[in-house]
PDB file of all heavy atoms in Angstrom:
ATOM      1  N   ARG O   1     -16.270  -2.645   1.839  1.00  0.00           N
ATOM      2  CA  ARG O   1     -15.884  -1.277   1.201  1.00  0.00           C
ATOM      3  C   ARG O   1     -14.427  -1.117   1.247  1.00  0.00           C
ATOM      4  O   ARG O   1     -13.842  -1.204   2.336  1.00  0.00           O
ATOM      5  CB  ARG O   1     -16.691  -0.177   1.923  1.00  0.00           C
ATOM      6  CG  ARG O   1     -18.284  -0.229   1.557  1.00  0.00           C
ATOM      7  CD  ARG O   1     -18.864   0.930   2.311  1.00  0.00           C
ATOM      8  NE  ARG O   1     -18.786   0.843   3.695  1.00  0.00           N
ATOM      9  CZ  ARG O   1     -18.133   1.687   4.503  1.00  0.00           C
ATOM     10  NH1 ARG O   1     -17.369   2.603   3.993  1.00  0.00           N
ATOM     11  NH2 ARG O   1     -18.120   1.520   5.811  1.00  0.00           N
ATOM     12  N   LEU O   2     -13.771  -0.783   0.083  1.00  0.00           N
ATOM     13  CA  LEU O   2     -12.439  -0.382   0.097  1.00  0.00           C
ATOM     14  C   LEU O   2     -12.277   1.117   0.183  1.00  0.00           C
ATOM     15  O   LEU O   2     -12.914   1.878  -0.643  1.00  0.00           O
ATOM     16  CB  LEU O   2     -11.737  -0.816  -1.199  1.00  0.00           C
ATOM     17  CG  LEU O   2     -11.362  -2.370  -1.221  1.00  0.00           C
ATOM     18  CD1 LEU O   2     -10.674  -2.707  -2.600  1.00  0.00           C
ATOM     19  CD2 LEU O   2     -10.474  -2.679  -0.120  1.00  0.00           C
ATOM     20  N   GLN O   3     -11.429   1.662   1.028  1.00  0.00           N
ATOM     21  CA  GLN O   3     -11.296   3.178   1.119  1.00  0.00           C
ATOM     22  C   GLN O   3      -9.822   3.416   1.111  1.00  0.00           C
ATOM     23  O   GLN O   3      -9.053   2.977   2.038  1.00  0.00           O
ATOM     24  CB  GLN O   3     -11.967   3.594   2.417  1.00  0.00           C
ATOM     25  CG  GLN O   3     -11.873   5.126   2.646  1.00  0.00           C
ATOM     26  CD  GLN O   3     -12.522   5.479   3.897  1.00  0.00           C
ATOM     27  OE1 GLN O   3     -13.386   4.763   4.501  1.00  0.00           O
ATOM     28  NE2 GLN O   3     -12.290   6.731   4.443  1.00  0.00           N
ATOM     29  N   VAL O   4      -9.426   4.202   0.109  1.00  0.00           N
ATOM     30  CA  VAL O   4      -7.960   4.676   0.086  1.00  0.00           C
ATOM     31  C   VAL O   4      -7.930   6.123   0.418  1.00  0.00           C
ATOM     32  O   VAL O   4      -8.534   6.950  -0.159  1.00  0.00           O
ATOM     33  CB  VAL O   4      -7.370   4.375  -1.322  1.00  0.00           C
ATOM     34  CG1 VAL O   4      -5.910   4.912  -1.366  1.00  0.00           C
ATOM     35  CG2 VAL O   4      -7.388   2.874  -1.730  1.00  0.00           C
ATOM     36  N   GLU O   5      -7.196   6.466   1.492  1.00  0.00           N
ATOM     37  CA  GLU O   5      -7.174   7.817   1.943  1.00  0.00           C
ATOM     38  C   GLU O   5      -6.291   8.640   0.941  1.00  0.00           C
ATOM     39  O   GLU O   5      -5.383   8.089   0.251  1.00  0.00           O
ATOM     40  CB  GLU O   5      -6.458   7.920   3.321  1.00  0.00           C
ATOM     41  CG  GLU O   5      -7.246   7.226   4.438  1.00  0.00           C
ATOM     42  CD  GLU O   5      -8.488   7.864   4.763  1.00  0.00           C
ATOM     43  OE1 GLU O   5      -8.631   9.095   4.532  1.00  0.00           O
ATOM     44  OE2 GLU O   5      -9.501   7.204   5.287  1.00  0.00           O
ATOM     45  N   PRO O   6      -6.709   9.960   0.756  1.00  0.00           N
ATOM     46  CA  PRO O   6      -5.925  10.774  -0.116  1.00  0.00           C
ATOM     47  C   PRO O   6      -4.449  10.847   0.267  1.00  0.00           C
ATOM     48  O   PRO O   6      -4.116  10.661   1.431  1.00  0.00           O
ATOM     49  CB  PRO O   6      -6.634  12.183  -0.006  1.00  0.00           C
ATOM     50  CG  PRO O   6      -8.055  11.885   0.538  1.00  0.00           C
ATOM     51  CD  PRO O   6      -7.815  10.664   1.414  1.00  0.00           C
ATOM     52  N   ARG O   7      -3.668  11.107  -0.675  1.00  0.00           N
ATOM     53  CA  ARG O   7      -2.136  11.296  -0.433  1.00  0.00           C
ATOM     54  C   ARG O   7      -1.989  12.365   0.638  1.00  0.00           C
ATOM     55  O   ARG O   7      -2.473  13.448   0.646  1.00  0.00           O
ATOM     56  CB  ARG O   7      -1.417  11.652  -1.720  1.00  0.00           C
ATOM     57  CG  ARG O   7       0.018  11.599  -1.526  1.00  0.00           C
ATOM     58  CD  ARG O   7       0.747  12.357  -2.882  1.00  0.00           C
ATOM     59  NE  ARG O   7       0.423  11.438  -3.991  1.00  0.00           N
ATOM     60  CZ  ARG O   7       1.242  10.509  -4.440  1.00  0.00           C
ATOM     61  NH1 ARG O   7       2.347  10.299  -3.801  1.00  0.00           N
ATOM     62  NH2 ARG O   7       0.857   9.883  -5.579  1.00  0.00           N
ATOM     63  N   ARG O   8      -1.120  11.980   1.694  1.00  0.00           N
ATOM     64  CA  ARG O   8      -0.810  12.946   2.671  1.00  0.00           C
ATOM     65  C   ARG O   8       0.769  13.207   2.698  1.00  0.00           C
ATOM     66  O   ARG O   8       1.493  12.197   2.729  1.00  0.00           O
ATOM     67  CB  ARG O   8      -1.236  12.343   4.056  1.00  0.00           C
ATOM     68  CG  ARG O   8      -2.654  12.208   4.222  1.00  0.00           C
ATOM     69  CD  ARG O   8      -3.037  11.592   5.577  1.00  0.00           C
ATOM     70  NE  ARG O   8      -4.452  11.260   5.695  1.00  0.00           N
ATOM     71  CZ  ARG O   8      -5.005  10.683   6.765  1.00  0.00           C
ATOM     72  NH1 ARG O   8      -4.248  10.277   7.740  1.00  0.00           N
ATOM     73  NH2 ARG O   8      -6.252  10.419   6.723  1.00  0.00           N
ATOM     74  N   GLY O   9       1.094  14.411   2.570  1.00  0.00           N
ATOM     75  CA  GLY O   9       2.572  14.684   2.612  1.00  0.00           C
ATOM     76  C   GLY O   9       3.047  15.017   1.220  1.00  0.00           C
ATOM     77  O   GLY O   9       2.469  14.485   0.201  1.00  0.00           O
ATOM     78  N   ALA O  10       4.089  15.683   1.147  1.00  0.00           N
ATOM     79  CA  ALA O  10       4.638  16.085  -0.171  1.00  0.00           C
ATOM     80  C   ALA O  10       5.214  14.930  -0.910  1.00  0.00           C
ATOM     81  O   ALA O  10       5.098  14.841  -2.173  1.00  0.00           O
ATOM     82  CB  ALA O  10       5.692  17.168  -0.006  1.00  0.00           C
ATOM     83  N   ALA O  11       5.809  13.937  -0.273  1.00  0.00           N
ATOM     84  CA  ALA O  11       6.486  12.810  -0.939  1.00  0.00           C
ATOM     85  C   ALA O  11       6.184  11.531  -0.141  1.00  0.00           C
ATOM     86  O   ALA O  11       6.276  11.348   1.034  1.00  0.00           O
ATOM     87  CB  ALA O  11       8.049  13.105  -0.968  1.00  0.00           C
ATOM     88  N   THR O  12       5.814  10.543  -1.005  1.00  0.00           N
ATOM     89  CA  THR O  12       5.564   9.206  -0.345  1.00  0.00           C
ATOM     90  C   THR O  12       6.496   8.117  -1.055  1.00  0.00           C
ATOM     91  O   THR O  12       6.136   6.975  -1.207  1.00  0.00           O
ATOM     92  CB  THR O  12       4.124   8.817  -0.579  1.00  0.00           C
ATOM     93  OG1 THR O  12       3.778   8.837  -1.925  1.00  0.00           O
ATOM     94  CG2 THR O  12       3.223   9.698   0.236  1.00  0.00           C
ATOM     95  N   PHE O  13       7.635   8.626  -1.566  1.00  0.00           N
ATOM     96  CA  PHE O  13       8.562   7.766  -2.205  1.00  0.00           C
ATOM     97  C   PHE O  13       9.645   7.146  -1.299  1.00  0.00           C
ATOM     98  O   PHE O  13      10.106   7.858  -0.309  1.00  0.00           O
ATOM     99  CB  PHE O  13       9.300   8.497  -3.379  1.00  0.00           C
ATOM    100  CG  PHE O  13       8.485   8.817  -4.609  1.00  0.00           C
ATOM    101  CD1 PHE O  13       7.700   9.926  -4.625  1.00  0.00           C
ATOM    102  CD2 PHE O  13       8.502   7.929  -5.615  1.00  0.00           C
ATOM    103  CE1 PHE O  13       6.923  10.194  -5.730  1.00  0.00           C
ATOM    104  CE2 PHE O  13       7.705   8.204  -6.781  1.00  0.00           C
ATOM    105  CZ  PHE O  13       6.905   9.346  -6.787  1.00  0.00           C
ATOM    106  N   VAL O  14       9.912   5.931  -1.517  1.00  0.00           N
ATOM    107  CA  VAL O  14      10.992   5.271  -0.731  1.00  0.00           C
ATOM    108  C   VAL O  14      11.846   4.369  -1.614  1.00  0.00           C
ATOM    109  O   VAL O  14      11.297   3.952  -2.703  1.00  0.00           O
ATOM    110  CB  VAL O  14      10.301   4.318   0.390  1.00  0.00           C
ATOM    111  CG1 VAL O  14       9.549   5.040   1.377  1.00  0.00           C
ATOM    112  CG2 VAL O  14       9.554   3.133  -0.258  1.00  0.00           C
ATOM    113  N   PRO O  15      13.132   4.113  -1.347  1.00  0.00           N
ATOM    114  CA  PRO O  15      13.975   3.274  -2.122  1.00  0.00           C
ATOM    115  C   PRO O  15      13.553   1.746  -1.779  1.00  0.00           C
ATOM    116  O   PRO O  15      13.502   1.427  -0.619  1.00  0.00           O
ATOM    117  CB  PRO O  15      15.322   3.637  -1.699  1.00  0.00           C
ATOM    118  CG  PRO O  15      15.186   4.135  -0.341  1.00  0.00           C
ATOM    119  CD  PRO O  15      13.816   4.709  -0.180  1.00  0.00           C
ATOM    120  N   GLY O  16      13.341   1.054  -2.781  1.00  0.00           N
ATOM    121  CA  GLY O  16      13.080  -0.401  -2.549  1.00  0.00           C
ATOM    122  C   GLY O  16      12.671  -1.150  -3.889  1.00  0.00           C
ATOM    123  O   GLY O  16      12.775  -0.720  -4.897  1.00  0.00           O
ATOM    124  N   ASP O  17      12.206  -2.395  -3.531  1.00  0.00           N
ATOM    125  CA  ASP O  17      11.754  -3.270  -4.597  1.00  0.00           C
ATOM    126  C   ASP O  17      10.234  -3.257  -4.692  1.00  0.00           C
ATOM    127  O   ASP O  17       9.461  -3.552  -3.765  1.00  0.00           O
ATOM    128  CB  ASP O  17      12.133  -4.775  -4.226  1.00  0.00           C
ATOM    129  CG  ASP O  17      11.833  -5.747  -5.386  1.00  0.00           C
ATOM    130  OD1 ASP O  17      10.744  -5.813  -5.790  1.00  0.00           O
ATOM    131  OD2 ASP O  17      12.745  -6.454  -5.860  1.00  0.00           O
ATOM    132  N   GLU O  18       9.701  -2.687  -5.731  1.00  0.00           N
ATOM    133  CA  GLU O  18       8.260  -2.372  -5.856  1.00  0.00           C
ATOM    134  C   GLU O  18       7.466  -3.646  -5.660  1.00  0.00           C
ATOM    135  O   GLU O  18       6.387  -3.636  -5.048  1.00  0.00           O
ATOM    136  CB  GLU O  18       7.980  -1.697  -7.118  1.00  0.00           C
ATOM    137  CG  GLU O  18       6.515  -1.239  -7.292  1.00  0.00           C
ATOM    138  CD  GLU O  18       6.345  -0.451  -8.629  1.00  0.00           C
ATOM    139  OE1 GLU O  18       7.213  -0.536  -9.441  1.00  0.00           O
ATOM    140  OE2 GLU O  18       5.163   0.023  -8.776  1.00  0.00           O
ATOM    141  N   VAL O  19       7.901  -4.683  -6.322  1.00  0.00           N
ATOM    142  CA  VAL O  19       7.047  -5.941  -6.244  1.00  0.00           C
ATOM    143  C   VAL O  19       6.969  -6.503  -4.865  1.00  0.00           C
ATOM    144  O   VAL O  19       5.826  -6.888  -4.358  1.00  0.00           O
ATOM    145  CB  VAL O  19       7.737  -7.012  -7.194  1.00  0.00           C
ATOM    146  CG1 VAL O  19       6.907  -8.337  -7.074  1.00  0.00           C
ATOM    147  CG2 VAL O  19       7.671  -6.579  -8.650  1.00  0.00           C
ATOM    148  N   GLN O  20       8.135  -6.500  -4.138  1.00  0.00           N
ATOM    149  CA  GLN O  20       8.120  -6.940  -2.724  1.00  0.00           C
ATOM    150  C   GLN O  20       7.188  -6.054  -1.843  1.00  0.00           C
ATOM    151  O   GLN O  20       6.496  -6.585  -1.053  1.00  0.00           O
ATOM    152  CB  GLN O  20       9.522  -6.983  -2.214  1.00  0.00           C
ATOM    153  CG  GLN O  20      10.402  -8.136  -2.856  1.00  0.00           C
ATOM    154  CD  GLN O  20      11.767  -8.188  -2.229  1.00  0.00           C
ATOM    155  OE1 GLN O  20      11.962  -7.328  -1.276  1.00  0.00           O
ATOM    156  NE2 GLN O  20      12.489  -9.114  -2.650  1.00  0.00           N
ATOM    157  N   LEU O  21       7.330  -4.739  -2.013  1.00  0.00           N
ATOM    158  CA  LEU O  21       6.520  -3.841  -1.156  1.00  0.00           C
ATOM    159  C   LEU O  21       5.023  -4.001  -1.502  1.00  0.00           C
ATOM    160  O   LEU O  21       4.216  -3.978  -0.573  1.00  0.00           O
ATOM    161  CB  LEU O  21       7.001  -2.440  -1.341  1.00  0.00           C
ATOM    162  CG  LEU O  21       8.427  -2.168  -0.853  1.00  0.00           C
ATOM    163  CD1 LEU O  21       8.730  -0.734  -1.054  1.00  0.00           C
ATOM    164  CD2 LEU O  21       8.544  -2.455   0.639  1.00  0.00           C
ATOM    165  N   GLN O  22       4.635  -4.137  -2.804  1.00  0.00           N
ATOM    166  CA  GLN O  22       3.214  -4.398  -3.174  1.00  0.00           C
ATOM    167  C   GLN O  22       2.795  -5.711  -2.560  1.00  0.00           C
ATOM    168  O   GLN O  22       1.617  -5.690  -2.092  1.00  0.00           O
ATOM    169  CB  GLN O  22       3.077  -4.342  -4.690  1.00  0.00           C
ATOM    170  CG  GLN O  22       3.160  -2.933  -5.272  1.00  0.00           C
ATOM    171  CD  GLN O  22       2.733  -3.046  -6.777  1.00  0.00           C
ATOM    172  OE1 GLN O  22       2.496  -4.085  -7.335  1.00  0.00           O
ATOM    173  NE2 GLN O  22       2.710  -1.908  -7.402  1.00  0.00           N
ATOM    174  N   GLN O  23       3.699  -6.669  -2.415  1.00  0.00           N
ATOM    175  CA  GLN O  23       3.268  -7.967  -1.963  1.00  0.00           C
ATOM    176  C   GLN O  23       3.004  -7.669  -0.371  1.00  0.00           C
ATOM    177  O   GLN O  23       1.999  -8.422   0.123  1.00  0.00           O
ATOM    178  CB  GLN O  23       4.424  -8.986  -2.101  1.00  0.00           C
ATOM    179  CG  GLN O  23       4.079 -10.450  -1.676  1.00  0.00           C
ATOM    180  CD  GLN O  23       3.039 -11.002  -2.710  1.00  0.00           C
ATOM    181  OE1 GLN O  23       3.094 -10.470  -3.888  1.00  0.00           O
ATOM    182  NE2 GLN O  23       2.376 -11.948  -2.318  1.00  0.00           N
ATOM    183  N   VAL O  24       3.720  -6.944   0.305  1.00  0.00           N
ATOM    184  CA  VAL O  24       3.414  -6.696   1.677  1.00  0.00           C
ATOM    185  C   VAL O  24       2.068  -6.034   1.869  1.00  0.00           C
ATOM    186  O   VAL O  24       1.232  -6.499   2.668  1.00  0.00           O
ATOM    187  CB  VAL O  24       4.522  -5.783   2.386  1.00  0.00           C
ATOM    188  CG1 VAL O  24       4.118  -5.387   3.734  1.00  0.00           C
ATOM    189  CG2 VAL O  24       5.839  -6.507   2.384  1.00  0.00           C
ATOM    190  N   ILE O  25       1.809  -4.947   1.058  1.00  0.00           N
ATOM    191  CA  ILE O  25       0.497  -4.234   1.184  1.00  0.00           C
ATOM    192  C   ILE O  25      -0.638  -5.202   0.799  1.00  0.00           C
ATOM    193  O   ILE O  25      -1.636  -5.193   1.506  1.00  0.00           O
ATOM    194  CB  ILE O  25       0.512  -3.065   0.213  1.00  0.00           C
ATOM    195  CG1 ILE O  25       1.527  -2.053   0.548  1.00  0.00           C
ATOM    196  CG2 ILE O  25      -0.827  -2.394   0.232  1.00  0.00           C
ATOM    197  CD1 ILE O  25       1.917  -0.970  -0.443  1.00  0.00           C
ATOM    198  N   LEU O  26      -0.448  -5.967  -0.234  1.00  0.00           N
ATOM    199  CA  LEU O  26      -1.440  -6.941  -0.623  1.00  0.00           C
ATOM    200  C   LEU O  26      -1.800  -7.983   0.491  1.00  0.00           C
ATOM    201  O   LEU O  26      -2.951  -8.356   0.665  1.00  0.00           O
ATOM    202  CB  LEU O  26      -1.058  -7.632  -1.911  1.00  0.00           C
ATOM    203  CG  LEU O  26      -2.052  -8.612  -2.499  1.00  0.00           C
ATOM    204  CD1 LEU O  26      -3.393  -8.009  -2.898  1.00  0.00           C
ATOM    205  CD2 LEU O  26      -1.463  -9.360  -3.692  1.00  0.00           C
ATOM    206  N   ASN O  27      -0.691  -8.447   1.076  1.00  0.00           N
ATOM    207  CA  ASN O  27      -0.955  -9.479   2.148  1.00  0.00           C
ATOM    208  C   ASN O  27      -1.576  -8.866   3.289  1.00  0.00           C
ATOM    209  O   ASN O  27      -2.573  -9.566   3.945  1.00  0.00           O
ATOM    210  CB  ASN O  27       0.474 -10.020   2.577  1.00  0.00           C
ATOM    211  CG  ASN O  27       0.297 -11.039   3.762  1.00  0.00           C
ATOM    212  OD1 ASN O  27       0.400 -10.755   4.895  1.00  0.00           O
ATOM    213  ND2 ASN O  27       0.179 -12.336   3.251  1.00  0.00           N
ATOM    214  N   LEU O  28      -1.388  -7.601   3.740  1.00  0.00           N
ATOM    215  CA  LEU O  28      -2.026  -7.042   4.877  1.00  0.00           C
ATOM    216  C   LEU O  28      -3.469  -6.715   4.544  1.00  0.00           C
ATOM    217  O   LEU O  28      -4.311  -6.944   5.329  1.00  0.00           O
ATOM    218  CB  LEU O  28      -1.265  -5.687   5.211  1.00  0.00           C
ATOM    219  CG  LEU O  28       0.173  -5.808   5.660  1.00  0.00           C
ATOM    220  CD1 LEU O  28       0.719  -4.424   6.028  1.00  0.00           C
ATOM    221  CD2 LEU O  28       0.241  -6.678   6.905  1.00  0.00           C
ATOM    222  N   ALA O  29      -3.721  -6.382   3.259  1.00  0.00           N
ATOM    223  CA  ALA O  29      -5.123  -6.070   2.771  1.00  0.00           C
ATOM    224  C   ALA O  29      -5.972  -7.424   2.800  1.00  0.00           C
ATOM    225  O   ALA O  29      -7.066  -7.467   3.206  1.00  0.00           O
ATOM    226  CB  ALA O  29      -5.083  -5.386   1.464  1.00  0.00           C
ATOM    227  N   MET O  30      -5.301  -8.441   2.256  1.00  0.00           N
ATOM    228  CA  MET O  30      -6.004  -9.745   2.243  1.00  0.00           C
ATOM    229  C   MET O  30      -6.298 -10.263   3.700  1.00  0.00           C
ATOM    230  O   MET O  30      -7.406 -10.840   3.844  1.00  0.00           O
ATOM    231  CB  MET O  30      -5.230 -10.793   1.437  1.00  0.00           C
ATOM    232  CG  MET O  30      -5.225 -10.585  -0.052  1.00  0.00           C
ATOM    233  SD  MET O  30      -6.904 -10.679  -0.813  1.00  0.00           S
ATOM    234  CE  MET O  30      -7.304 -12.368  -0.432  1.00  0.00           C
ATOM    235  N   ASN O  31      -5.403 -10.029   4.452  1.00  0.00           N
ATOM    236  CA  ASN O  31      -5.668 -10.523   5.992  1.00  0.00           C
ATOM    237  C   ASN O  31      -6.857  -9.599   6.490  1.00  0.00           C
ATOM    238  O   ASN O  31      -7.601 -10.151   7.288  1.00  0.00           O
ATOM    239  CB  ASN O  31      -4.357 -10.319   6.809  1.00  0.00           C
ATOM    240  CG  ASN O  31      -3.275 -11.265   6.511  1.00  0.00           C
ATOM    241  OD1 ASN O  31      -3.580 -12.290   5.913  1.00  0.00           O
ATOM    242  ND2 ASN O  31      -2.084 -11.084   6.918  1.00  0.00           N
ATOM    243  N   GLY O  32      -6.862  -8.374   6.104  1.00  0.00           N
ATOM    244  CA  GLY O  32      -7.970  -7.468   6.607  1.00  0.00           C
ATOM    245  C   GLY O  32      -9.366  -8.007   6.051  1.00  0.00           C
ATOM    246  O   GLY O  32     -10.359  -8.027   6.837  1.00  0.00           O
ATOM    247  N   LEU O  33      -9.304  -8.347   4.751  1.00  0.00           N
ATOM    248  CA  LEU O  33     -10.566  -8.922   4.224  1.00  0.00           C
ATOM    249  C   LEU O  33     -10.972 -10.275   5.045  1.00  0.00           C
ATOM    250  O   LEU O  33     -12.186 -10.416   5.339  1.00  0.00           O
ATOM    251  CB  LEU O  33     -10.450  -9.228   2.776  1.00  0.00           C
ATOM    252  CG  LEU O  33     -10.203  -8.062   1.833  1.00  0.00           C
ATOM    253  CD1 LEU O  33      -9.982  -8.520   0.287  1.00  0.00           C
ATOM    254  CD2 LEU O  33     -11.310  -6.996   1.946  1.00  0.00           C
TER     255      LEU O  33
END
């Protein structure tokens, strides 16, 4: 089961490279699976 918590906080924006940061999230999620 995949569970994404609702947005918390007024702003969740950071300066960065979107592809690289998505790669980090994807890697952590795949390790979790």
Side-chain angles (χ1 to χ4, degrees):
R1 289 183 295 109
L2 282 180
Q3 181 179 342
V4 178
E5 298 291 334
R7 184 189 299 266
R8 298 177 185 175
T12 57
F13 286 86
V14 297
D17 186 307
E18 183 177 10
V19 174
Q20 291 183 359
L21 295 178
Q22 283 188 359
Q23 190 69 23
V24 173
I25 299 169
L26 181 60
N27 181 265
L28 299 181
M30 286 298 298
N31 286 346
L33 294 181

